[in-house]
Every structure is written in C-alpha cells, then in structure tokens.
Amino acid sequence: MSEFEVDLFVIGAGSGGVRAGRIAASHGARVMVAEEYRVGGTCVIRGCVPKKLLVYASHFAEDFEDAAGFGWSVGETRFDWARLIEAKDREIDRLNAAYIRNLERSGAKLEPMRAVIEGPHAVRLADGRLVTAGTILVATGGAPYIDPALPGRELAISSNEAFHLQRLPERIVVVGGGFIAVEFAGIFNGLGVETTILHRGDGLLRGFDEDLRHKLREEIEKKGIRVVLGDQPAEILKADEELVLRTAGGLEIEAGEVMIATGRLPNTAGLGLENAGVARDGAGAIVVDAYSRTNVPSIYAVGDVTNRVNLTPVAIREGHAFADTVFGGKKIAVDYAGIPKAVFSQPEIGSVGLTEAEALAEFPAVDIYRADFKPMKHTLSGRDERMLMKLVVDGTSQRVLGCHILGAGSAEMTQLVAIALKMGATKEDFDATMALHPTAAEELVTMRQPSMRHRR
Ligand code: NDP
C-alpha cells in the first residue's frame, strides 16, 4: 500500500482530466477527481457541443429559404430562442450526467468542489480536507480573455454568457477574428441578429490558409455579416436601450450585446502551483515535457492549461497518454503532427496539414491544386454560395502536405482526408482513388492540373 491516500489526484473534470482519471483507474490506480463547476469541461458544458447545436439551429433560416428552389412553399417560420436554449440545456444535462456516471463507473471518486495544490503530493479540497497523492494532474482548462484595461469590459459578454442569454439582441458586435468569433457571428447572423465582427487584424482566422481566409470573409459578408478589420474596441458605454462600442479607429457601433472573443487563457490562478514550485510560461500556461510532466516530477498537466494545441481531442489524447505512461507501464508521447481542424463558421472550414505559405517556407517545390465552384445544391436553391478546395502538394515527392476546404460538410471530409495525409498519401494516391459521384468531395480526387507551381 502506498503512503498516499490516492495514487492520482486530478484537478478539473473536463475532456483531458476525465479521460486521464478513467484510464488511470482502469490501470488499477486509486483516483480522485475534483471539479468546482460541472463535469464535462468547457467542450461539453459551454464550448464545442452546445456551440454545434446552436450552429445547427441557426442554419435553418437558410434551409427554409433554399427549400423554395426545390418546390417547397414554407409557411411562416418563427424562432424561439428560449426553447432552443432549454433544449440545448437538456442535452448538456444529459451529457453531464453521462460523464459523471462514466467517471464513477471507472472507480474514480468525484469531489464536486475546488482543489488547490499544497505541495508536490498534497491537495486541499474546498471543504478543508487535505488529500495526499502519489501523482497530481492539473487539467483545469482555460477561460475567455478580455483585456482588463478595456473601459466598460463589464458590460460585455464572452462565449460563456452567450450560451445563456435571456433573449437574443437585435444587434451584436463580436470582437475578435478567431474560431469563437467567426462561429458565433455565424450563429447570431443565422438567427436574425444584425451582426458585426470587429477584428484588429487584416483578415479573419490568422494561421489558416490565405485562400480560405479570403473566401470566408467574402461568404460571410454575402450572408450579411459586417466585417470591420484593422480596428479594436476602445470603450464600451451604456446608451439608453443598447450599448455603444467605440473603436480606436473612431467608429461608434450600437448593439444590444458586445461579445468579446479575443482568445482564452490557461486557468492557473489560485491553484497553488507556487506552493509546489510548478513552472509557468509567459502566458501563464503550465510548462510540460512530451509526457505532460511539469518541472515537479509528481505533477503533470494536460489540455488547455498547458496551451499546446487547444482542442478537445488533443486534451483527451494527452490525458490518455499520461495515464498509460504513469500507470499503464507504456511510455506514450502524443503525436501532434497532422491534427485536423474545423471551424464551424457558415460556411464551415476543414483544414489539415500545411497551408500554402507554410509549405513554401519548408519545401523548394510546391504545387497547388484548387477548385472553386458552386455546390450542386445551390444550382436549384439559387443561393450565391461557393465552395473552395485546395490541396498543397510537395512538388518533389508528390506527397500531399495539406488539404483546406470551405463549404458544407468540410469538417466531415477533413476528418477522413486527415487519415490519408497521416499515412503519407501522394497526389497519385488521390488521383488513383475513384471519384464518388455526385459529391462535393469528389473534387479532391479529380483535380488534374495544378493551379500554381511554385519553384525556388
Ligand atoms: P483564437 O486564438 O482563435 O482567436 C483569438 C482572436 O482574438 C484572434 O483573432 C486575435 O487576433 C484576437 N485577439 C487576441 N488578443 C486580442 C486583443 N488584445 N485585442 C483584440 N483582439 C485580440 O481564440 P478564440 O477565443 O476564438 O478561441 C480559443 C481557442 O479555443 C481557439 O484557439 C481554439 O484552440 C479553441 N476553439 C476551437 C474551436 C474548434 O475547434 N472549432 C471552436 C472554438 C474554440 P490576432 O489574430 O491578431 O492575434
């Protein structure tokens, strides 16, 4: 019997923490998990899952419009935000309960309260109990970042509050140009809210392929979203009925809500990391090695709190690899190459591998294959929405280095393309694959001529 009360103490029951706790328990470890909010974490409770439900909801407006081109007469349509939120909350409650059940079934003990590190092997629970642990795992995730120097910041909401608005505003300004900003702008716009995106950069979604970035802006502007670039909020004021957002560039934008989506920061404040001497980087993230171990040998960290690749499946992999390494006798480091990404903007984006610019920086010869077309559905719907597909290919080996898609279904396609890329597929492999007709994805295997050959 070990000298400690538990073998593993997990702080935070989100994607990474829950997976780590369950797998460690399956390896025979005595596990305790503390969670101060709701089991499931950001992804399940106020992130990926409820977001995607709202994206589905908001898309119906276009679906009703498109139906006319296919012979349908859709009568009066009405949308009830409160009913949607109620339905969404029911689903989140169900998932939350499933997470609790699965965790308990694994043998892990759940403590529904905050926990603070007291030393390399000690954690203090909010009710005063001190628990000793052979290993401590920090999996506390992240939280929305709002510039603390922005006057009127308390009048703004983040994505956390957006999921629980009492009512939809008539107008909204979404600040930021990343994942959350473009996804929520699409949701609000689809639900009939007059939507403005205000972003400091010269394009949305920095880091994504340039063609996709341009195309996304074009397409969301066509749908009625106003995109203001190269400007920042200077102040938020309360006017009679609404708020006024004053920008550094001198604009005054009136809106019922101002939503700030300017990134997220690791949740490390008040965790007691200093009590054990756990090192953090300049952004506050816990510094870990390839096995998620901190500078303190008995303390590990996974997920957004480490600010590596802040995506749910990555946190899950990190949690699993940690548990296998520490309790399963298998030393496993997560492979971060070729992680597929999706942005549930409208239209959505799927992306895996190198962008054109990244490939050019790394390879002397790069071929670009590009298809920009009207999807079949919109021949009859009449909607002016295009789809973009792009393959980035190493001109020397013909290996496909990247695949970038904008349009309906692109996230689903990208998950599968990611397998081919992970296996090292070449352009010849894509060409040798029979097209599946009629699909949009068949474009990926029928692009014969490069649209651009870069050589240096
Ligand atoms: P992102 O990092 O994607 O985007 C942050 C945006 O805010 C960028 O446009 C950035 O501009 C801007 N910004 C940052 N700081 C400031 C500032 N001080 N003033 C003005 N603008 C600023 O973060 P999100 O909040 O959108 O999302 C957080 C993370 O959550 C994502 O990075 C992603 O990892 C994850 N996520 C994933 C989703 C998915 O997989 N579909 C969905 C939602 C979130 P600039 O580009 O100039 O730096």
Side-chain angles (χ1 to χ4, degrees):
M1 208 56 180
S2 117
E3 59 191 292
F4 303 110
E5 200 174 326
V6 296
D7 300 310
L8 172 65
F9 194 105
V10 182
I11 308 180
S15 302
V18 167
R19 174 61 68 95
R22 287 175 56 186
I23 300 301
S26 77
H27 289 312
R30 295 164 304 153
V31 179
M32 191 177 276
V33 182
E35 170 57 56
E36 66 174 340
Y37 185 54
R38 300 187 72 189
V39 173
T42 298
C43 174
V44 172
I45 307 296
R46 48 192 180 189
C48 330
V49 174
K51 176 273 307 289
K52 186 112 189 249
L53 296 174
L54 298 195
V55 169
Y56 283 131
S58 65
H59 206 268
F60 280 100
E62 279 193 0
D63 297 337
F64 294 139
E65 280 174 20
D66 291 350
F70 295 87
W72 287 90
S73 304
V74 178
E76 190 200 351
T77 58
R78 245 176 310 138
F79 171 68
D80 185 337
W81 170 255
R83 261 175 55 207
L84 170 63
I85 294 303
E86 217 180 280
K88 180 265 293 175
D89 285 343
R90 265 199 310 278
E91 173 58 8
I92 301 311
D93 287 348
R94 187 187 71 77
L95 288 171
N96 173 239
Y99 262 70
I100 294 173
R101 242 191 344 268
N102 288 339
L103 195 56
E104 290 179 341
R105 231 181 250 160
S106 75
K109 170 117 178 57
L110 178 63
E111 294 290 352
M113 65 188 84
R114 191 168 170 78
V116 174
I117 295 173
E118 289 232 330
H121 292 285
V123 175
R124 175 80 61 186
L125 286 165
D127 64 5
R129 275 177 294 156
L130 186 77
V131 182
T132 58
T135 302
I136 297 170
L137 177 71
V138 183
T140 48
Y145 164 76
I146 301 182
D147 181 355
L150 175 67
R153 69 195 293 273
E154 67 286 351
L155 299 170
I157 58 168
S158 70
S159 54
N160 287 351
E161 292 75 39
F163 287 116
H164 295 286
L165 286 176
Q166 289 299 312
R167 56 182 191 88
L168 271 185
E170 278 172 28
R171 302 187 276 190
I172 194 162
V173 188
V174 182
V175 181
F179 282 78
I180 296 179
V182 299
E183 291 183 342
F184 271 90
I187 290 168
F188 287 121
N189 184 58
L191 295 178
V193 180
E194 197 184 307
T195 304
T196 301
I197 292 184
L198 174 74
H199 173 44
R200 67 180 179 184
D202 58 4
L204 303 170
L205 291 181
R206 183 163 59 84
F208 280 79
D209 189 86
E210 288 298 323
D211 277 339
L212 247 63
R213 298 178 69 199
H214 286 133
K215 195 61 154 189
L216 178 70
R217 179 180 173 190
E218 261 174 45
E219 293 298 328
I220 67 174
E221 285 186 329
K222 277 192 227 162
K223 292 181 194 295
I225 296 177
R226 178 184 175 208
V227 181
V228 180
L229 297 176
D231 203 350
Q232 300 229 54
E235 187 177 14
I236 306 170
L237 301 161
K238 206 160 175 48
D240 295 342
E241 297 282 292
E242 292 193 301
L243 302 172
V244 178
L245 177 72
R246 288 218 177 105
T247 74
L251 293 178
E252 287 200 353
I253 311 172
E254 287 175 31
E257 300 284 356
V258 174
M259 174 174 157
I260 310 242
T262 49
R264 296 173 59 86
L265 287 183
N267 260 334
T268 51
L271 260 185
L273 294 170
E274 58 293 342
N275 297 336
V278 176
R280 281 183 283 170
D281 67 14
I286 297 179
V287 182
V288 289
D289 67 11
Y291 301 98
S292 298
R293 189 179 213 168
T294 71
N295 60 315
V296 180
S298 59
I299 302 185
Y300 290 70
V302 295
D304 288 9
V305 76
T306 62
N307 196 25
R308 285 176 281 183
V309 180
N310 298 333
L311 297 172
T312 301
V314 177
I316 291 173
R317 276 281 168 100
E318 288 170 354
H320 202 129
F322 151 79
D324 281 345
T325 301
V326 178
F327 299 100
K330 283 179 278 181
K331 216 169 174 208
I332 296 175
V334 172
D335 174 6
Y336 292 92
I339 297 173
K341 294 189 176 151
V343 185
F344 294 97
S345 46
Q346 298 177 43
E348 73 186 29
I349 282 179
S351 183
V352 58
L354 301 186
T355 64
E356 183 172 352
E358 286 166 347
L360 283 174
E362 212 177 301
F363 294 85
V366 175
D367 295 337
I368 301 298
Y369 295 80
R370 206 172 172 282
D372 179 336
F373 58 96
K374 180 181 255 205
M376 192 194 217
K377 182 177 175 192
H378 296 313
T379 54
L380 292 200
S381 76
R383 180 170 300 283
D384 177 20
E385 182 177 306
R386 298 189 67 80
M387 187 148 192
L388 177 69
M389 293 190 178
K390 184 167 168 180
L391 292 179
V392 178
V393 178
D394 175 2
T396 313
S397 69
Q398 288 300 302
R399 191 166 158 205
V400 180
L401 303 170
C403 174
H404 310 280
I405 310 173
L406 177 141
S410 61
E412 305 287 345
M413 291 177 219
T414 301
Q415 175 69 84
L416 301 179
V417 172
I419 302 172
L421 264 59
K422 194 81 188 159
M423 295 174 74
T426 60
K427 181 65 171 60
E428 285 93 340
D429 294 322
F430 275 61
D431 294 344
T433 303
M434 193 68 79
L436 176 58
H437 189 69
T439 62
E442 69 183 305
E443 290 291 330
L444 291 170
V445 298
T446 54
M447 291 192 265
R448 296 283 164 230
Q449 291 303 320
S451 60
M452 176 74 83
R453 283 179 197 274
H454 298 282
R455 295 294 180 268
R456 49 169 146 93

